[in-house]
């Protein structure tokens, strides 16, 4: 094939993943699963998400609309697909792995203001597309064999055009062996006709070709395996090889996707097209996970008392971490989402009496606070395993201060600036272990930079349940919050039985509290769910599910 003279000589090869027909077909999971398959063949991969929206980062986006904000080790607030990438592969995500149109445009406009373009007319092509290409090529290194780039949105959207143009150009510049286009489409089964329909796929590929991209491989999302004649038809109309028409069948367990893709021959097709050689994949880890998932010895029910309970995606990593905790104990975990707003002293018994464990997740704002406090009180007094995460930990401290210490107006200054007992408050200064300097905070500043974000060290107290779970003296966990436990009340709170069992190395920031004389009542200031993987379930989720199951076995 003709290779342009300016072809870049890079070790890394690129796979571009686009989506058609409609959203929510599972492009993120498809990208992550391809990563898993390539890693299973011994290749080193990384992934990147390019999001078409204008927000500069997903940090300030409403979880009701966009799902969870995933936080990486380096403290970047990213799209939830990066969570899938980390759960399915060993690639570690950072600021380089997620770009929005907003971030790209911001950088182009900043350059323009600084005079970088020397007064030239700044345009989508080439300036914006060059910026996108630079962000993609930035992933190339001798340490990475394949970079998988997922383009958010659906082909045909106005917003994603600059991204698609950028990957089209890259395909030309990198050459056939170094760039592969995979398109995810939808093949619905129409019940009344008793037929699988290929027309939406044909249209979506036509749309992609109109902007200059001929997909090499089609992933067809459908509820059944595509029969040969359907594959043949799609191949003919879409200009792809028949073996490159891959069934992306609905699955019961998302960790089955790499197995289904492999069964359909996806990874060997990728190897062939990218002209790479790698051993046959070792898929035993995924097979074991799926086997355990499908053959649990028993089940537990966990109540999640939160605010964003109506959109499943808002607690994506949390839901997965609970599943992982179940896998580690060979248990099926049933999640019972309870809207904290609707929990009252009158209905709490009915809502929580059948659950084996109670979890209050992170969140912002006062909504649902009273319901969450009720749930925490219920877990504390009835000795039901409790796991408080971030806001959930802060509320556990407030509940304890109010009802055990009798400080009825104890609160977080997030909710009551004038509380006489600010047990949770904004610290003006603290030592930032990541930056190695004192961080000062302006109390008026409410957005962005003032949050404690990303992985921080935490030392654990021996003879605690958390130490038992981690079996380590020091851990690193990811944060995303502004408010902290107020050390002024630490002595009193500990004396009354809520122990501080994890702190920053200088003992200034309280990271974990644990209740005495309770089977399992733990609150953590960080978000352990971001680091849980199916092949390596997070120790706290494993321990929480274990404790919940023991509670169940003892008759609830
Ligand atoms: N709103 C709380 C804070 O900012 C908790 C945040 C969270 O749960 N992620 O400190």
């Amino acid at each position: 094939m003709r290779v342009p003279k300016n072809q870049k000589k890079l070790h890394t090869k690129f796979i571009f993943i686009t989506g058609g027909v409609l959203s929510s077909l599972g492009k993120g999971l498809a990208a992550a699963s391809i990563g898993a398959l390539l890693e299973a063949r011994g290749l080193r991969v990384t992934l990147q998400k390019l999001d078409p929206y204008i927000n500069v980062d997903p940090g300030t986006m409403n979880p009701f609309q966009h799902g969870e904000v995933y936080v990486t080790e380096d403290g970047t607030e990213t799209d939830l697909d990066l969570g899938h990438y980390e759960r399915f592969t060993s690639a570690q995500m950072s600021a380089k792995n997620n770009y929005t149109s907003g971030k790209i445009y911001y950088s182009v406009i900043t350059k323009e203001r600084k005079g970088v373009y020397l007064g030239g007319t700044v345009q989508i092509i080439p300036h914006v597309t060059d910026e996108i290409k630079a962000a993609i090529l930035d992933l190339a290194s001798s340490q990475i064999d394949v970079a998988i780039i997922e383009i958010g949105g659906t082909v045909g959207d106005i917003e994603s055009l600059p991204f698609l143009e950028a990957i089209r150009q890259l395909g030309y510049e990198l050459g056939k062996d170094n760039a592969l286009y995979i398109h995810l489409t939808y093949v619905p089964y129409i019940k009344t006709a008793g037929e699988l329909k290929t027309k939406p796929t044909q249209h979506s590929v036509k749309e992609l070709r109109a902007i200059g991209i001929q997909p090499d491989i089609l992933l067809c999302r459908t509820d059944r395996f595509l029969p040969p004649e359907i594959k043949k038809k799609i191949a003919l109309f879409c200009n792809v090889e028949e073996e490159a028409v891959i069934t992306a069948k609905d699955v019961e367990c998302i960790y089955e996707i790499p197995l289904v893709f492999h069964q359909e021959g996806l990874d060997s097709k990728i190897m062939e097209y990218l002209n790479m050689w790698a051993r046959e994949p070792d898929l035993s880890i995924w097979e074991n996970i799926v086997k355990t998932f499908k053959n649990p010895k028993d089940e537990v029910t966990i109540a999640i008392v939160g605010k964003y309970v109506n959109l499943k995606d808002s607690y994506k990593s949390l839901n997965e971490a609970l599943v992982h905790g179940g896998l580690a104990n060979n248990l099926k975990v049933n999640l019972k989402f309870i809207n904290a707003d609707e929990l009252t002293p009158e209905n709490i018994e009915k809502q929580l009496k059948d659950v084996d464990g109670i979890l209050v997740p992170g969140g912002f704002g006062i909504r649902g606070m009273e319901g969450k406090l009720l749930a925490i009180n219920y877990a504390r007094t009835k000795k039901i395993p409790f796991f408080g995460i971030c806001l959930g930990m802060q509320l556990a401290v407030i509940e304890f201060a109010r009802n055990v210490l009798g400080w009825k107006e104890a609160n977080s200054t997030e909710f009551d600036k004038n509380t006489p007992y600010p047990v949770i408050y904004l610290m003006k200064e603290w030592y930032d272990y990541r930056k190695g300097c004192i961080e000062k905070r302006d109390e008026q500043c409410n957005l962005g930079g003032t949050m404690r974000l990303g992985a921080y060290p935490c030392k654990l107290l021996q003879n605690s349940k958390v130490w038992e779970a981690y079996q380590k003296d020091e851990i690193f966990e990811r944060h995303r919050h502004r408010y902290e436990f107020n050390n002024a009340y630490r002595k009193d709170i500990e004396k009354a039985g809520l122990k501080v069992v994890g702190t920053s190395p200088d003992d200034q920031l309280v990271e974990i509290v644990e209740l005495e004389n309770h089977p399992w009542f733990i609150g953590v200031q960080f978000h352990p769910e971001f680091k849980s993987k199916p092949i390596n379930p997070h120790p706290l989720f494993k321990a929480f599910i274990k404790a919940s199951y023991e509670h169940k076995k003892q008759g609830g």
Side-chain angles (χ1 to χ4, degrees), residues 362-365 389-391 394 414 480-483 527:
F364 292 82
I389 294 178
C390 208
L391 180 64
Q394 297 175 353
E414 180 179 3
R480 183 173 184 252
H481 59 102
R482 293 187 186 86
Y483 295 83
H527 288 271

Side-chain angles (χ1 to χ4, degrees), residues 319-376:
N319 301 348
E320 288 308 313
L322 286 163
V323 170
H324 306 160
L327 287 171
N329 289 286
N330 196 12
L331 293 167
K332 174 169 187 260
V333 179
N334 303 314
L335 303 179
K336 179 171 180 182
F337 289 97
I338 295 176
N339 188 346
D341 250 353
E342 290 162 11
L343 209 55
T344 62
E346 292 70 43
N347 67 19
I348 188 160
E349 182 67 30
K350 190 164 160 263
Q351 294 264 37
L352 293 177
K353 74 171 185 311
D354 296 326
V355 307
D356 309 310
I358 296 173
L359 190 148
V360 176
F364 292 82
I366 196 165
R367 234 191 73 196
M369 176 175 174
E370 292 308 321
K372 292 179 200 172
L373 289 173
L374 276 177
I376 294 168

Side-chain angles (χ1 to χ4, degrees), residues 122-140:
V122 182
Q123 294 178 294
I124 305 269
I125 304 171
H127 301 96
V128 169
T129 45
D130 279 355
E131 197 73 24
I132 297 169
K133 280 156 66 180
I136 295 172
L137 293 175
D138 197 25
L139 295 177

Side-chain angles (χ1 to χ4, degrees), residues 276 439 453:
M276 291 177 99
E439 184 85 8
L453 281 167

Side-chain angles (χ1 to χ4, degrees), residues 41 75 83 87 190 195 250 257 269 349 355 371 415 450 476 510 512 523:
R41 281 180 170 260
R87 284 188 284 274
I190 304 298
E195 264 182 72
D250 298 345
I257 303 173
K269 214 58 207 159
E349 182 67 30
V355 307
F415 310 124
T450 56
F476 286 81
V510 170
I512 312 175

